[in-house]
Structure formats: C-alpha cells, structure tokens
Amino acid sequence: MATRSPSVRRAASGASALAVLGALAACGAEQRTETASQRMPAPVTRCHSQQLRASVGRMDPGAGQRNFPVVLTNVSARTCTLYGYPGAAFVDVSGRQLGPDPKRTPGEPAKVRLAPGDSAWAGLRYASPETSGARTAVPAALLVTPPDERTPLRVRWTAGVVPVGGNASSVFLTVLAPGSGP
C-alpha cells in the first residue's frame, strides 16, 4: 500500500469536501428554482374569442332610447384581459349585416381583468325606432367581437326591431367595464 504525505491527504480530503458541498448546493438551488416556479402565476394574456361567451342583458329604456348591456364572460380556466371596445353587428338569418357598424362613444379604455367566470360589459344604445323615424329591421342575432379578435360570438336577438338606416339610425357602443351591466 502506498503511503501518502499528509499534504496530499489534506488536499484530497479538501477536494472531496468541496465536491460534496457543491453537490449539496446544486441540489438546494435546483429545489429552490422548482419551488419558485411553482409559485409564479401563469402570465395573463388577452382574452380570445374561444375563451368567452357573449350575452345581451335586459333592455333598460329611457327617454326615447333603448339601452342594453353586451356582456362578455370568461368561460375558460385561465385569467385573461380585455381592453377597449367590442365590435358588434346586427345580422339577419343568413348572416348578412343589417345597418352600419355601431359608433364608439367617447370613453377612457381600461384593461379589464377577467378571472374564470368573471364578466365585462359594454353599453349598446340606439334611439327607439318607433319615435326616431329610422328604417328598421328585426335581426336574427347580434355578432359580438371581443377587442383585438376577428372571430365574432353570436347572440340570438330577441329584443325586436333595430334602426338600420335613415334619420337617427345610429347605434352606439361604450368601452368595456368590469361586471355585467349598470
């Protein structure tokens, strides 16, 4: 058996100790990283059409106006955000648009965060066709397009005639706000 000098034995012992400490530190760092990543929330992205369900709330009449909340509800398992105005269009049974696109009312858009099951709404209003003298039609549906999306969500329209042309035929939309209506 070969004999080693005390300095070689100390060096070997020190190297072994450093290797063990390094391995332990690596294990601890790896464990801390996994724990930290488990606690980090998933990034919140904008809501896409397939994550939402659209609906129209009950009419709130007032001074020759018809007012409806257009509601977008997060039906996915992830939190997402909406910002700005939805798109909207009345369509007939064949899907052809009736009247022009709604006009946007002035407002300050704000990011609306929707946890699963939460809703955001925009106000849809127009002059009552019976008093405005506008040309009218009875839509089959209202197509609602979430902000920054191209795929509309179809909502059956049950509220009767809407203005589609002539004097006082404009339809207006407000920016999205948290909740399901006023």
Side-chain angles (χ1 to χ4, degrees), residues 40-133:
M40 289 186 64
V44 176
T45 60
R46 72 178 170 84
C47 299
H48 297 282
S49 295
Q50 67 270 19
Q51 295 174 280
L52 301 168
R53 182 186 75 236
S55 60
V56 176
R58 107 186 139 73
M59 180 179 63
D60 182 21
Q65 297 285 317
R66 291 190 178 170
N67 304 288
F68 299 87
V70 175
V71 182
L72 293 171
T73 302
N74 181 356
V75 294
S76 76
R78 304 192 103 177
T79 298
C80 61
T81 61
L82 294 170
Y83 179 83
Y85 295 83
F90 292 109
V91 294
D92 63 16
V93 293
S94 65
R96 191 182 70 228
Q97 185 170 338
L98 302 170
D101 290 337
K103 297 178 180 179
R104 294 177 171 183
T105 60
E108 283 296 316
K111 191 179 281 189
V112 180
R113 185 180 178 106
L114 298 181
D118 285 352
S119 299
W121 72 283
L124 175 79
R125 75 173 164 80
Y126 53 86
S128 182
E130 294 83 14
T131 60
S132 70

Side-chain angles (χ1 to χ4, degrees), residues 1 3 5 10 16 41 60 62 64 80-81 84-86 104 110 119 141 160 169-170:
M1 174 184 219
T3 53
S5 70
R10 268 183 280 178
S16 295
D60 182 21
C80 61
T81 61
Y85 295 83
R104 294 177 171 183
S119 299
S169 65
S170 294

